[in-house]
């Protein structure tokens, strides 16, 4: 299945397509000066012949505290933006500046995309679409009956939601803070009565991994500045697929260890591109070429 195919049904409607519109969008967050997202969006817009400007609203650069996130959302609307992507630390804080939330964003309690249309600011969450769309494209034959997920933070919530929506019947969420995993499980379980969501500690995943179909890392362990692996590599086996949401670097220590042990692997590039594909469509009403965006992203990420 192509990454172009994300979800056949949307819980919200994207903007009506207008190729003549001058699109202005942005990214709101802290420490985001080096983000690849602006180039990813603008390169695809160029290919589609769209007028599309992507600006960075870095809290550190503009000298604003995170608590001003909601006010900055309103300012963006006043200045004629079509939408915003949102990242740390603003995914929860922007909600006070919104008129409505999509059902997915309401369940997850986090917003990573905002659209300004018809006089309303609406918050969405495309992270779960990004993960599951990338998963289906990168590991199309992989089973998902029993999956072990490491991490229960913001990325973990989106991945867990995506897996359960895609049909995972048994999801084991492991976190170094059991209370965080329990909270996520309690929030998601009522929406998926046909699935079992259980929790454990990160250092207690061995029994589950022996029979699991797959393992997903949603923690920062393995990204630049946070070296290491989230689980003992000796627990990896060839019957297990392994996915990582980290994309800097694309080849994390976990991905390399899993590949060495014969596991099918999925790096974090497809998730970040998948959520960008969904956001681009919300902003413009036009479905971009996801495989082209993925190729563009990989070229930038490896340069």
């Amino acid at each position: 299945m192509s990454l172009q195919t994300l979800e056949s049904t949307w819980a919200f409607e994207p903007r009506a397509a207008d190729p003549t519109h001058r699109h202005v969008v942005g990214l709101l967050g802290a420490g985001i000066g080096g983000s690849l997202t602006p180039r990813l969006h603008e390169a695809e817009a160029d290919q589609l012949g769209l007028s599309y400007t992507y600006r960075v609203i870095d809290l550190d650069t503009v000298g604003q505290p995170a608590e001003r996130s909601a006010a900055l959302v309103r300012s963006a609307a006043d200045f004629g933006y079509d939408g915003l992507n949102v990242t740390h630390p603003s995914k929860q804080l922007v909600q006070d500046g919104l008129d409505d939330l999509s059902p997915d964003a309401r369940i997850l309690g986090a917003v990573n995309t905002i659209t300004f249309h018809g006089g309303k600011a609406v918050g969405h969450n495309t992270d779960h679409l990004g993960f599951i769309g990338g998963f289906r494209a990168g590991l199309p034959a992989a089973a998902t009956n029993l999956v072990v997920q490491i991490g229960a933070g913001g990325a973990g919530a989106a991945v867990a939601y995506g897996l359960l929506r895609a049909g995972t019947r048994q999801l084991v969420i492991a976190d170094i803070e059991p209370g965080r995993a329990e909270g996520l499980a309690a929030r998601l379980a009522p929406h998926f009565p046909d699935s079992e969501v259980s929790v454990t500690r990160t250092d207690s995943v061995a029994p589950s991994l022996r029979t699991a179909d797959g393992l997903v890392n949603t923690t920062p362990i393995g990204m630049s500045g946070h070296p290491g692996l989230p689980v003992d590599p000796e627990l990896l086996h060839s019957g297990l697929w392994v996915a990582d949401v980290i994309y800097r670097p694309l080849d994390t220590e976990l991905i390399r260890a899993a590949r060495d042990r014969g596991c099918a692997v999925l790096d974090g590039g497809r998730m970040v591109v998948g959520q960008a594909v969904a956001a681009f469509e919300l902003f413009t009403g036009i479905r971009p070429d996801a495989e082209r965006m993925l190729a563009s992203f990989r070229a930038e990420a490896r340069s």
Side-chain angles (χ1 to χ4, degrees), residues 36 39 247-250 269 272 294-303:
L36 300 180
R39 293 194 293 278
Y247 60 92
R248 281 189 166 178
L250 285 169
V272 71
L294 180 63
S296 175
F297 171 81
R298 291 196 183 282
E300 289 283 352
R302 296 185 187 281
S303 63

Side-chain angles (χ1 to χ4, degrees), residues 253-280:
E253 292 183 54
L254 175 63
I255 291 294
R256 293 198 301 271
R259 190 183 292 118
D260 288 346
R261 286 162 176 75
C263 303
V265 299
L266 183 76
D267 64 49
R270 286 190 179 270
M271 179 176 177
V272 71
V273 171
Q275 64 82 24
V277 167
F280 190 100

Side-chain angles (χ1 to χ4, degrees), residues 34 36 58 78 83 107 110 160 207 251 288:
L36 300 180
D58 191 327
D78 292 341
I107 292 170
D251 284 326

Side-chain angles (χ1 to χ4, degrees), residues 166-236:
T168 294
R169 294 304 180 190
Q170 293 178 275
L171 179 63
V172 180
I173 303 174
D175 198 277
I176 57 173
E177 299 179 20
R180 183 162 57 181
E182 290 166 2
L184 177 57
R187 190 161 83 247
L188 294 180
H191 299 282
F192 302 96
D194 295 330
S195 297
E196 176 187 346
V197 185
S198 59
V199 303
T200 188
R201 290 183 58 86
T202 304
D203 56 7
S204 302
V205 296
S208 297
L209 283 176
R210 292 191 189 103
T211 57
D213 297 307
L215 167 70
V216 187
N217 174 45
T218 72
T219 76
I221 300 174
M223 71 169 49
S224 300
H226 299 272
L229 292 93
V231 297
D232 184 343
E234 295 302 318
L235 299 177
L236 306 178

Side-chain angles (χ1 to χ4, degrees), residues 11 52 86 115 134 140 182 216 278 288:
Y52 195 99
V86 183
T115 54
E182 290 166 2
V216 187

Side-chain angles (χ1 to χ4, degrees), residues 37-262:
T37 299
R39 293 194 293 278
L40 181 64
H41 277 247
E42 290 185 340
E44 180 60 17
D46 286 345
Q47 291 290 330
L48 294 170
L50 300 178
S51 174
Y52 195 99
T53 300
Y54 197 112
R55 297 171 176 164
V56 173
I57 308 171
D58 191 327
L59 295 171
D60 295 342
T61 301
V62 300
Q64 295 289 330
E67 290 73 21
R68 289 275 297 164
S69 295
L72 289 169
V73 168
R74 285 301 183 185
S75 294
D78 292 341
F79 279 111
Y81 278 64
D82 296 291
L84 294 174
N85 284 133
V86 183
T87 189
H88 178 81
S90 301
K91 288 187 175 184
Q92 288 79 36
L93 296 170
V94 295
Q95 294 182 50
D96 287 341
L98 304 177
D99 298 299
D100 202 0
L101 292 171
S102 72
D104 296 335
R106 197 177 303 279
I107 292 170
L108 291 170
V111 167
N112 81 322
T113 303
I114 299 169
T115 54
F116 303 121
H117 185 58
K120 288 188 175 182
V122 180
H124 311 267
N125 191 303
T126 67
D127 282 334
H128 70 284
L129 295 174
F131 175 76
I132 207 63
F135 179 84
R136 289 170 173 169
L139 298 174
T144 59
N145 184 59
L146 170 57
V147 179
V148 176
Q149 175 178 306
I150 310 297
V159 169
Y161 184 66
L163 285 167
L164 291 167
R165 280 194 63 184
T168 294
R169 294 304 180 190
Q170 293 178 275
L171 179 63
V172 180
I173 303 174
D175 198 277
I176 57 173
E177 299 179 20
R180 183 162 57 181
E182 290 166 2
L184 177 57
R187 190 161 83 247
L188 294 180
H191 299 282
F192 302 96
D194 295 330
S195 297
E196 176 187 346
V197 185
S198 59
V199 303
T200 188
R201 290 183 58 86
T202 304
D203 56 7
S204 302
V205 296
S208 297
L209 283 176
R210 292 191 189 103
T211 57
D213 297 307
L215 167 70
V216 187
N217 174 45
T218 72
T219 76
I221 300 174
M223 71 169 49
S224 300
H226 299 272
L229 292 93
V231 297
D232 184 343
E234 295 302 318
L235 299 177
L236 306 178
H237 55 84
S238 60
L240 192 70
W241 55 260
V242 176
D244 205 328
V245 304
I246 293 169
Y247 60 92
R248 281 189 166 178
L250 285 169
D251 284 326
T252 61
E253 292 183 54
L254 175 63
I255 291 294
R256 293 198 301 271
R259 190 183 292 118
D260 288 346
R261 286 162 176 75

